[in-house]
Amino acid sequence: QVHLVESGGGLVQAGGSLRLSCAASGSIFSINAMGWFRQAPGKQRELVARITSGGSTNYADSVKGRFTISRDNAKNTVYLQMNSLKPEDTAVYLCNAQIVPMNKLGGYDYWAQGTQVTVSS
């Protein structure tokens, strides 16, 4: 069994900061890319940021310069530091990881439960 558990969401005023964490646990052989998606009411889920196992990153244009994704491979954890938050960043943020479980061939997509981020104006 593999699990992803998020923490760090909440309510913040515009211009503020939040840090999200997502830890993978269980029977893990390796973790490839990890990333953060978000989904606002009535909108499609969108990629916010992604980081490969080697540390290469990519970001949605809307968050470039404000958000930073990082990971600690020893802890199987990915982080999203969100600065200069705007009301339009309000959404449920979901952690995603491409994980190769023990005793399995190939990687699978795993999702965390989602954490609400609300930015007030």
Side-chain angles (χ1 to χ4, degrees), residues 9-118:
L11 172 64
V12 66
Q13 288 189 332
S17 298
L18 283 174
R19 188 189 195 213
L20 306 182
S21 300
C22 175
S25 63
S27 298
I28 297 170
F29 177 72
S30 66
I31 302 178
N32 298 323
M34 303 183 83
W36 292 92
F37 289 73
R38 67 186 180 187
Q39 188 161 19
K43 294 188 177 181
Q44 287 191 330
R45 184 175 295 184
E46 63 172 351
L47 174 67
V48 176
R50 181 178 178 271
I51 185 168
T52 67
S53 57
S56 297
T57 59
N58 62 284
Y59 297 89
D61 288 343
S62 59
V63 307
K64 282 180 181 176
R66 300 187 297 121
F67 291 11
T68 302
I69 190 170
S70 60
R71 65 190 282 174
D72 184 334
N73 291 330
K75 295 181 179 179
N76 290 340
T77 299
V78 63
Y79 306 95
L80 185 68
Q81 178 66 44
M82 304 184 292
N83 298 329
S84 302
L85 281 160
K86 304 175 181 180
E88 50 264 44
D89 294 318
T90 295
V92 174
Y93 283 70
L94 302 109
C95 170
N96 167 266
Q98 296 167 0
I99 296 174
V100 180
M102 291 288 194
N103 302 317
K104 296 282 188 180
L105 293 177
Y108 298 84
D109 263 344
Y110 289 87
W111 293 88
Q113 76 281 4
T115 187
Q116 178 70 44
V117 171
T118 302

